[in-house]
Amino acid sequence: MKLNIHMLNGCQTAAMAVPDWEVGLTASDIERQLRVADDLGFWKVTVPEHFGIPAAHIALSGDHYAHPTTALGFCAGVTHSLKLASLITILPLQHPLVHAKLWATLDWLSNGRAEIVAAVGWLEAEYEMLGLPFSERGAIFDEYIPAMIELWTKDLATFEGRYVNFRDVGARPKPVQKPIVPLWFGGDAKPVLRRVARWGAGWSPFMTPPDRIPEQLDWLKSQPDYHGRPINVMYSTFMLRFAKAKDTVHAIRSVPEAEPLTDTQKLIDQLSYLSGLGVTETDIARPAHRDFEEYLDWLRWLSAEIMPHVA
């Protein structure tokens, strides 16, 4: 089991219950968080994505979101080992030529540490702002992935589809990781699992109850186009609050938050339980820290008391 972190102050939402001390963090503070986590042996840093939030959703979702590939470029520059992942990239919102260039550049300059966690998203108004058909987001997604793979793997890339067409396109730099930047897919529906089966290095469930993860993994591995490679699974202990919710909005408004564990053995037991279900990565639900220094001490505690028992 590998332990991940979120980049502090990367988003400010009701769901994340961002404390006042985090809202005030500067780039220098975030650099310190990243350096400490890197030195302590944390595996990955993640950054979420939204481009614009309509006024009606700000109270629930907030409107402070760093751009993932830009923020992860900053993360790359102040660390040496941390993997750099979006959580999530709303893939249909940008053209695959743009995605391929952004992520190949990040992978190149970070010496092969980039990972995409892609999904279709849930906020219809964001699609409307960008002039994109929300009802077609799944079909768009399923064209964009092979188009990106073509751009990453061919000297001159060609793709013909309903939503994207290009011919004999040169696009460098190529990713350091071969053959492509690792693709993870976020969500719970069958189309998501089919994407994992076909292209995925990993899966990030959202509202899948933990005890259903093994059957979902078995199902995707039974698909005729399963690529045959191992599937990593990222499941945050924070997401336990969503596991029984009907939808995203219901989860954020109505489901009691799982109490973050600060008891060493209980947390080890929880992570061991998730590991036994097939989970390979997690981030730990944070207690209510009084300030930034207490948060850094918590990272040190996780590294010293939890990591050795679950690695």
Side-chain angles (χ1 to χ4, degrees):
M1 176 77 74
K2 299 177 175 70
L3 302 190
N4 301 336
I5 61 166
H6 297 295
M7 188 189 80
L8 289 177
N9 209 17
C11 71
Q12 299 172 12
T13 73
M16 297 299 291
V18 178
D20 290 343
W21 63 262
E22 184 175 345
V23 172
L25 294 182
T26 65
S28 296
D29 297 319
I30 296 168
E31 177 180 349
R32 187 173 173 216
Q33 176 214 10
L34 295 165
R35 290 187 185 278
V36 168
D38 201 36
D39 290 343
L40 290 172
F42 284 84
W43 177 246
K44 182 182 296 181
V45 59
T46 62
V47 181
E49 177 174 274
H50 277 295
F51 291 96
I53 305 296
H57 282 274
I58 290 176
L60 176 67
S61 299
D63 61 358
H64 175 101
Y65 290 87
H67 185 268
T69 43
T70 303
L72 292 169
F74 171 83
C75 297
V78 299
T79 60
H80 300 286
S81 301
L82 280 172
K83 298 285 187 180
L84 311 160
S86 56
L87 191 65
I88 58 170
T89 291
I90 309 170
L91 200 78
L93 296 187
Q94 294 188 97
H95 195 280
L97 281 164
V98 176
H99 280 303
K101 177 65 69 174
L102 288 170
W103 287 95
T105 300
L106 177 62
D107 200 58
W108 172 52
L109 290 176
S110 68
N111 196 28
R113 290 189 279 149
E115 294 184 353
I116 304 175
V117 183
V120 297
W122 62 276
L123 184 55
E124 185 172 359
E126 196 164 17
Y127 277 79
E128 293 173 353
M129 293 175 205
L130 294 167
L132 297 167
F134 183 74
S135 63
E136 299 174 40
R137 65 197 187 281
I140 295 170
F141 192 108
D142 289 338
E143 277 197 14
Y144 280 17
I145 291 294
M148 292 160 59
I149 292 172
E150 177 78 3
L151 289 159
W152 286 332
T153 58
K154 300 292 179 60
D155 290 335
L156 290 176
T158 296
F159 189 87
E160 295 183 6
R162 178 182 175 188
Y163 301 99
V164 57
N165 289 275
F166 51 81
R167 178 168 294 278
D168 295 334
V169 172
R172 295 182 181 275
K174 301 297 186 186
V176 171
Q177 299 178 87
K178 301 300 180 187
I180 63 173
V181 176
L183 294 167
W184 289 59
F185 299 98
D188 310 282
K190 294 302 186 189
V192 175
L193 297 177
R194 292 189 187 99
R195 292 168 189 137
V196 178
R198 183 176 179 185
W199 297 300
W203 173 42
S204 180
F206 183 47
M207 290 184 286
T208 297
D211 57 7
R212 291 199 61 219
I213 289 174
E215 70 179 77
Q216 297 288 64
L217 290 173
D218 288 343
W219 186 88
L220 74 84
K221 291 176 182 178
S222 74
Q223 298 307 293
D225 54 359
Y226 170 49
H227 53 58
R229 298 186 297 274
I231 301 296
N232 293 298
V233 179
M234 177 168 25
Y235 196 94
S236 171
T237 66
F238 174 82
M239 300 309 292
L240 295 172
R241 77 181 285 199
F242 296 101
K244 296 182 180 179
K246 297 177 181 178
D247 53 54
T248 304
V249 173
H250 176 81
I252 293 172
R253 288 177 173 166
S254 305
V255 179
E257 183 173 355
E259 182 179 353
L261 291 178
T262 56
D263 179 277
T264 301
Q265 190 57 53
K266 286 183 179 179
L267 183 52
I268 291 170
D269 290 345
Q270 183 182 75
L271 298 182
S272 297
Y273 162 72
L274 292 174
S275 179
L277 298 174
V279 175
T280 59
E281 301 179 15
T282 189
D283 59 81
I284 309 299
R286 287 159 41 187
H289 300 116
R290 291 171 295 181
D291 53 32
F292 184 39
E293 294 302 324
E294 188 172 80
Y295 164 83
L296 294 177
D297 285 341
W298 177 71
L299 292 184
R300 297 181 183 105
W301 174 75
L302 289 174
S303 176
E305 302 297 332
I306 305 301
M307 279 188 193
H309 298 281
V310 300

